């Protein structure tokens, strides 16, 4: 021990100055005047409101994807001391003094800056030259669209960062496989691959594309590993188990952890509550939790309840009735029962209250001892404010003639007897003797006489129905659907038999406090399902575009315009880089299949190591581009140019590798290599020139005249360059 203390402790480190320099210039390009403009820029109006919700711990639902990206943006606001008090209602609105603009934009900018040296390292790990690696990094550095997107409070740069981190981590793991399997270095990169994949998916569902890419490449390598006869069966099993844990187990656990933190932070009721189930709403502080505080758990004969549609589409709504009746004759000439209307009403109202009645008794109060309602019991539902019973019969519904009309029965002393018996069917029951529970039980009401099920059709009634939603009786033979399922949201034990006293009772609050909390997994499952299934109506946007327009850069987005000068920010790509990247993708594809055909004929144009590196580069870059681009052709949503940026980064990585391949294996003489080098230098100079030309639209820090703005459109810029050269 003393001998060790007598010797100096020396630490050596290999520092790649290229990586250091690239990190420095990347930070400079992304952080320079980051707080300018001090105004809401394009989708900052969208993400900013979610940051405010985080600051105020208010629950929200964003159907665009998981919450990790929003959490990172909110972290920037937290570090900057943001209190959440800003009205995010208009693009171009000036930020108030309490909004830490620099902090809010910091993490996307850092992600964009660090993507530059990561591009260098990825190309190096693919065993291409430092020149090719430097070329990829410089293209990432000067690409205007990537600069613009990373300098704002947006998610694409974060997604690209974790996409690249997942690919880089896997390559470092794969390259350490031959020399030091199961070492700390090996385990670190393998686990980081899983973490990065989970983070990418946690930012946007688009991250799944890169996750599938990594899984596909890892599965291919694992298949070859199984065939390695130098490894024992136990060793192969250990390799496969390690990959399964890191690439499947870790991402799932981390994904769940992200939602756990999200739900822990957002514990207060907010404007998006009504999209969620009653049970979820009741688990939040305030809102429905305050309304339902003290409700009895078990529904009994005589209970007063409100019934919410579990389906929640097209709007969350409650079973409702009022004094108005169906018209005698509909507009299409069909007749109705002229009974009292039953609808689904999207607002809380005293006319949403119903009383659960025992058909064999006249009482509308809860007796002692309590008689709970169980699965399979036959009940009547009495409308609280009009005392009429829920009814259906063989009369066509007003807007859904294939289904039965649902009404509250009025005795007109004609040959249309009441049919008001309903059998309770608890859908999520654990046994056939389950008790009907407030909020927790999801139930169907099956009409005893006709076997029709009480259902929300989703159609809006005409003006005579006050534009409320239609309720029908749907035959069970048409199959089960979520619109047939209801749950009790508000509940009290009725005490008043007289109608006037009961009306007063329906307006009074409950008293006893009973907590009703959902487990994390139940809340996670519901929130995940809502994110995947909830879709807002997409309207055509002025700057929306198609996937084909992205490749040709035949589109752009005006992000911001100075209110007094002509300074502005546009999402506009560097046409030289975009066109060259597309050409490189096409060239690689043609070369790959040419080599593949010749290898089939036992003609090997490349050494085996070079072929393996070439194939892996294509699998990652062409695969990454295809997986992040082609699915958009199948998506029915409003699309924008920035959706192409993750795919573009894979093309940019491929471009210098294709150029090096042409130089190393297709140029036959030194003269050809020298000529290619000169062309590459001229091409890169042109790309830098175009990047500099577009700088005013990238940073928005200089006013532009109309003629200057017109000249900066990429097609015009290309024409200008051709004339100059």
């Amino acid at each position: 021990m003393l001998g060790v203390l007598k010797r100096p402790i020396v630490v050596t480190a290999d520092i790649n100055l290229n990586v250091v320099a690239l990190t420095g210039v990347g930070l400079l390009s992304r952080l320079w005047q980051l707080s300018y403009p001090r105004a809401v820029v394009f989708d900052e109006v969208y993400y900013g409101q979610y940051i405010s919700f985080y600051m105020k711990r208010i629950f929200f639902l964003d159907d665009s994807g998981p919450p990790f990206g929003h959490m990172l943006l909110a972290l920037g606001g937290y570090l900057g001391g943001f209190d959440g008090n800003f009205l995010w209602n208009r693009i171009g609105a000036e930020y108030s003094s309490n909004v830490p603009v620099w902090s809010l934009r910091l993490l996307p900018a850092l992600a964009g800056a660090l993507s530059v040296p990561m591009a260098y390292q990825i190309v190096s790990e693919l065993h291409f030259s430092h020149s090719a690696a430097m070329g990829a990094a410089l293209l990432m550095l000067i690409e205007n669209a990537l600069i613009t997107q990373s300098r704002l409070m947006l998610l694409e740069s974060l997604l690209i960062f974790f996409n690249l981190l997942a690919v880089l981590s896997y390559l470092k793991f794969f390259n350490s496989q031959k020399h030091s399997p199961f070492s700390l270095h090996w385990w670190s990169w393998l686990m980081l691959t899983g973490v990065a994949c989970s983070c990418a998916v946690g930012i946007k569902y688009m991250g799944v594309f890169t996750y599938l890419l990594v899984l596909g490449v890892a599965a291919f390598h694992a298949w070859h590993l199984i065939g390695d006869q130098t490894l024992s069966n136990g060793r192969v099993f250990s390799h496969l188990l390690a990959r399964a844990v890191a690439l499947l187990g870790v991402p799932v656990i981390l994904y769940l952890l992200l939602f756990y933190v999200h739900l822990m932070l957002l514990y207060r009721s907010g404007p998006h509550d009504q999209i969620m189930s009653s049970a979820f709403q009741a688990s939040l502080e305030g809102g429905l939790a305050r309304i339902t505080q003290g409700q009895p758990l078990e529904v009994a004969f005589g209970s007063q309840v409100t019934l919410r549609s579990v389906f929640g589409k097209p709007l969350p709504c409650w079973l409702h009735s009022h004094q108005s009746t169906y018209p005698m004759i509909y507009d299409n000439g069909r007749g109705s029962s002229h009974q009292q209307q039953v609808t689904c009403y999207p607002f809380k109202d005293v006319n949403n209250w119903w009383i659960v009645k025992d058909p064999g008794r006249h009482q509308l109060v809860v007796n002692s001892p309590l008689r709970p309602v169980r699965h399979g019991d036959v009940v009547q539902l009495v409308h609280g404010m009009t005392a009429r019973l829920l009814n259906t019969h063989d009369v066509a519904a007003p807007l859904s003639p294939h289904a039965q009309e649902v009404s509250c029965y009025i005795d007109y002393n004609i040959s249309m007897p009441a049919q008001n018996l309903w059998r309770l069917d608890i859908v999520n029951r654990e046994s056939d003797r389950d008790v009907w529970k407030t909020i927790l039980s999801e139930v169907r009401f099956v009409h005893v006489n006709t076997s029709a099920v009480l259902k929300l059709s989703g159609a809006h009634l005409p003006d005579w129905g006050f534009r409320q939603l239609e309720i029908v009786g749907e035959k069970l033979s048409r199959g089960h659907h979520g619109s047939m399922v209801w749950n009790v949201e508000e509940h009290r034990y009725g005490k008043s038999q007289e109608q006037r006293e009961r009306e007063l009772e329906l307006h009074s609050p409950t008293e006893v406090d009973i907590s009703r909390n959902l487990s994390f997994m139940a809340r996670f499952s519901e929130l995940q399902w809502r994110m995947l299934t909830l879709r807002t109506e997409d309207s055509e946007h002025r700057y929306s575009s198609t996937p084909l327009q992205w490749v040709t850069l035949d589109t752009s987005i005006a992000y911001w315009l100075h209110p007094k000068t002509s300074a502005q920010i546009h999402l506009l790509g560097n046409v030289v880089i975009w066109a060259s990247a597309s050409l490189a993708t096409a060239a690689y594809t043609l070369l790959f299949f040419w080599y593949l055909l010749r290898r089939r004929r036992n003609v090997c144009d490349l050494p085996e190591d070079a072929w393996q590196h070439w194939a892996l580069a294509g699998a990652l870059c062409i695969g990454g581009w295809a997986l992040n681009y082609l699915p958009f052709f199948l998506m029915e949503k409003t699309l924008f140019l920035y959706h192409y940026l993750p795919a573009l980064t894979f093309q940019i990585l491929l471009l210098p590798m294709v150029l090096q391949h042409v130089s190393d294996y297709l140029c036959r003489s030194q003269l050809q290599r020298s000529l290619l080098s000169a062309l590459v230098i001229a091409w890169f100079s042109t790309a830098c020139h175009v990047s500099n030309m577009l700088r005013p639209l990238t940073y928005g820090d200089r006013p532009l005249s109309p003629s200057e703005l017109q000249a900066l459109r990429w097609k015009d810029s290309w024409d200008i360059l051709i004339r100059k050269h």
Side-chain angles (χ1 to χ4, degrees):
M1 183 68 181
L2 294 177
V4 173
L5 295 177
K6 291 178 180 178
R7 293 193 299 270
I9 299 174
V10 178
V11 178
T12 60
D14 292 329
I15 299 177
N16 190 327
L17 294 181
N18 287 342
V19 173
V20 174
L22 289 170
T23 304
V25 294
L27 290 170
L28 181 63
S29 67
R30 269 62 175 181
L31 296 179
W32 184 76
Q33 290 191 351
L34 186 60
S35 58
Y36 178 85
R38 195 174 172 81
V40 179
V41 180
F42 201 62
D43 275 353
E44 287 187 340
V45 72
Y46 176 71
Y47 294 112
Q49 59 182 314
Y50 297 136
I51 296 173
S52 290
F53 286 145
Y54 272 115
M55 297 300 104
K56 298 179 179 181
R57 303 294 189 265
I58 294 174
F59 172 78
F60 68 86
L61 173 63
D62 179 15
D63 61 358
S64 67
F68 185 50
H70 305 78
M71 292 165 64
L72 290 176
L73 296 179
L75 176 61
Y78 175 78
L79 295 176
F82 183 41
D83 56 8
N85 291 320
F86 183 77
L87 187 60
W88 308 87
N89 63 347
R90 181 172 60 87
I91 296 175
E94 292 290 325
Y95 284 122
S96 55
S97 58
N98 69 307
V99 181
V101 181
W102 193 87
S103 295
L104 287 170
R105 294 173 178 167
L106 176 61
L107 290 180
L110 288 176
L114 294 177
S115 296
V116 175
M118 252 196 297
Y120 174 91
Q121 291 181 291
I122 288 173
V123 176
S124 296
E125 291 295 327
L126 286 168
H127 303 285
F128 285 81
S129 68
H130 288 284
S131 298
M134 184 63 75
L138 291 177
L139 291 175
M140 292 282 291
L141 176 69
I142 66 173
E143 167 49 43
N144 298 81
L146 294 179
I147 297 173
T148 300
Q149 200 71 11
S150 63
R151 286 174 48 81
L152 301 171
M153 197 193 312
L154 306 173
L155 298 183
E156 277 65 35
S157 65
L158 294 167
L159 175 62
I160 290 170
F161 170 80
F162 284 109
N163 283 347
L164 296 181
L165 180 60
V167 172
L168 175 61
S169 301
Y170 181 78
L171 287 173
K172 285 186 172 292
F173 154 75
F174 177 70
N175 290 332
S176 65
Q177 172 73 25
K178 297 178 182 178
H179 309 293
S180 53
F182 298 102
S183 64
L184 179 60
H185 180 265
W186 185 90
W187 273 110
S188 299
W189 288 117
L190 179 59
M191 298 298 286
L192 184 57
T193 303
V195 170
C197 287
S198 184
C199 290
V201 177
I203 288 173
K204 280 193 169 186
Y205 286 128
M206 289 170 56
V208 170
F209 303 143
T210 301
Y211 183 31
L212 292 176
L213 172 71
V214 173
L215 284 181
V217 174
F220 180 80
H221 289 156
W223 180 254
H224 280 270
L225 191 71
I226 294 173
D228 188 348
Q229 298 300 317
T230 64
L231 298 176
S232 66
N233 292 339
R235 194 71 166 174
V236 169
F237 177 78
S238 299
H239 275 286
L240 297 179
L241 181 61
R243 285 160 173 77
V245 169
L247 301 182
L248 296 176
V250 168
V252 170
I253 293 172
L254 184 56
Y255 188 75
L256 290 171
L257 181 61
L258 295 176
F259 274 89
Y260 182 81
V261 174
H262 173 72
L263 292 172
M264 286 290 290
L265 291 173
L266 306 182
Y267 58 85
R268 291 177 179 156
S269 174
H272 297 170
D273 287 10
Q274 289 197 4
I275 300 173
M276 310 305 292
S277 70
S278 301
F280 194 103
Q281 293 180 56
S283 68
L284 299 172
E285 180 182 295
L288 181 64
R290 191 183 319 166
I291 295 173
T292 60
Q293 183 179 18
Q295 293 187 153
L297 178 61
E298 295 185 348
V299 178
F301 288 107
S303 286
Q304 300 168 354
V305 299
T306 63
L307 295 167
R308 185 180 190 267
S309 172
V310 172
F311 190 52
K313 294 180 181 180
L315 294 169
C317 60
W318 293 261
L319 189 66
H320 176 94
S321 188
H322 40 243
Q323 292 282 357
S324 300
T325 60
Y326 292 109
M328 288 287 292
I329 303 295
Y330 297 127
D331 293 339
N332 59 8
R334 288 192 299 110
S336 80
S337 66
H338 198 47
Q339 298 285 339
Q340 181 173 303
Q341 295 175 17
V342 172
T343 65
C344 207
Y345 189 50
F347 302 98
K348 294 187 182 300
D349 186 84
V350 70
N351 280 312
N352 298 345
W353 284 93
W354 299 82
I355 301 168
V356 181
K357 179 179 176 296
D358 183 348
R361 302 191 181 190
H362 295 291
Q363 289 91 345
L364 296 179
V365 297
V366 175
N367 294 323
S368 182
L370 188 77
R371 293 192 305 124
V373 183
R374 300 180 183 275
H375 169 75
D377 284 353
V378 175
V379 301
Q380 291 174 313
L381 294 177
V382 182
H383 186 239
M385 297 302 291
T386 63
R388 293 190 173 120
L389 279 73
L390 187 71
N391 183 82
T392 188
H393 36 225
D394 192 16
V395 175
L399 302 181
S400 306
H402 63 277
Q404 295 178 188
E405 175 193 270
V406 175
S407 61
C408 277
Y409 184 75
I410 303 174
D411 188 1
Y412 289 121
N413 196 23
I414 57 176
S415 58
M416 185 182 287
Q419 297 182 6
N420 49 36
L421 299 179
W422 302 84
R423 188 178 70 254
L424 183 75
D425 179 17
I426 301 178
V427 177
N428 60 341
R429 65 185 181 276
E430 295 180 357
S431 73
D432 288 342
R433 294 301 296 161
D434 266 15
V435 173
W436 186 7
K437 295 183 177 64
T438 306
I439 291 179
L440 302 179
S441 294
E442 296 181 352
V443 303
R444 294 187 305 177
F445 296 97
V446 183
H447 191 237
V448 172
N449 298 80
T450 64
S451 297
V453 181
L454 190 70
K455 177 184 175 181
L456 167 67
S457 77
H460 285 271
L461 294 170
D463 291 341
W464 55 257
F466 309 101
R467 310 301 298 175
Q468 295 173 18
L469 300 176
E470 181 190 40
I471 293 293
V472 301
E474 184 75 85
K475 294 290 187 181
L476 270 174
S477 58
R478 291 184 174 267
H480 173 73
H481 192 266
S483 56
M484 297 178 174
V485 182
W486 305 83
N487 71 274
V488 172
E489 186 169 270
E490 298 177 64
H491 175 212
R492 73 181 76 237
Y493 286 153
K495 301 176 182 177
S496 304
Q497 181 68 25
E498 296 298 324
Q499 177 67 18
R500 187 177 299 276
E501 295 177 1
R502 189 164 58 245
E503 290 178 9
L504 294 174
E505 184 180 3
L506 291 174
H507 286 89
S508 62
T510 53
E511 301 173 356
V512 187
D513 183 15
I514 299 177
S515 177
R516 195 174 290 108
N517 293 323
L518 282 181
S519 66
F520 162 69
M521 286 306 299
R523 299 174 73 200
F524 164 77
S525 300
E526 180 178 345
L527 181 57
Q528 187 68 66
W529 176 250
R530 295 291 184 186
M531 285 181 173
L532 292 172
T533 59
L534 181 66
R535 287 293 176 264
T536 55
E537 293 185 5
D538 290 324
S539 57
E540 193 67 24
H541 193 279
R542 178 181 179 184
Y543 294 110
S544 63
S545 53
T546 64
L548 286 177
Q549 290 177 304
W550 303 342
V551 177
T552 59
L553 200 54
D554 196 22
T555 181
S556 64
I557 305 176
Y559 269 3
W560 172 79
L561 176 66
H562 195 284
K564 297 180 180 178
T565 71
S566 59
Q568 49 197 287
I569 295 176
H570 285 241
L571 182 67
L572 188 63
N574 187 317
V575 62
V576 176
I577 296 176
W578 287 53
S580 302
S582 296
L583 288 174
T585 302
Y588 179 92
T589 304
L590 291 173
L591 285 171
F592 178 80
F593 283 108
W594 173 250
Y595 290 146
L596 202 61
L597 287 171
R598 287 173 62 81
R599 288 174 70 87
R600 189 65 177 167
R601 300 293 298 172
N602 290 324
V603 179
C604 296
D605 299 284
L606 303 178
E608 189 59 30
D609 284 350
W611 167 251
Q612 294 295 334
H613 299 156
W614 176 250
L616 181 57
L620 288 173
C621 296
I622 298 291
W625 170 79
L627 285 172
N628 281 278
Y629 173 57
L630 297 180
F632 286 104
F633 285 95
L634 305 176
M635 294 184 185
E636 297 179 357
K637 59 180 289 187
T638 305
L639 300 175
F640 297 92
L641 180 62
Y642 55 72
H643 286 122
Y644 187 62
L645 296 182
L648 176 69
T649 56
F650 286 99
Q651 283 188 308
I652 290 176
L653 294 176
L654 181 68
L655 176 54
M657 292 188 281
V658 170
L659 290 175
Q660 181 187 332
H661 180 82
V662 171
S663 175
D664 292 348
Y665 296 102
L666 300 183
C667 290
R668 301 297 183 183
S669 65
Q670 186 60 40
L671 178 62
Q672 290 177 332
R673 293 189 181 91
S674 299
L675 180 60
L676 178 62
S677 298
L679 290 174
V680 169
I681 291 172
W683 163 80
F684 184 73
S685 300
T686 304
C688 291
H689 181 63
V690 172
S691 180
N692 188 57
M693 288 175 59
L694 296 177
R695 185 186 176 282
L697 294 180
T698 301
Y699 291 91
D701 55 351
R702 182 170 69 83
L704 296 170
S705 65
S707 60
E708 286 178 313
L709 180 60
Q710 181 67 19
L712 287 177
R713 292 175 54 195
W714 77 260
K715 291 181 178 179
D716 298 328
S717 302
W718 185 250
D719 293 339
I720 292 170
L721 285 171
I722 292 175
R723 288 196 294 270
K724 283 185 177 180
H725 294 282

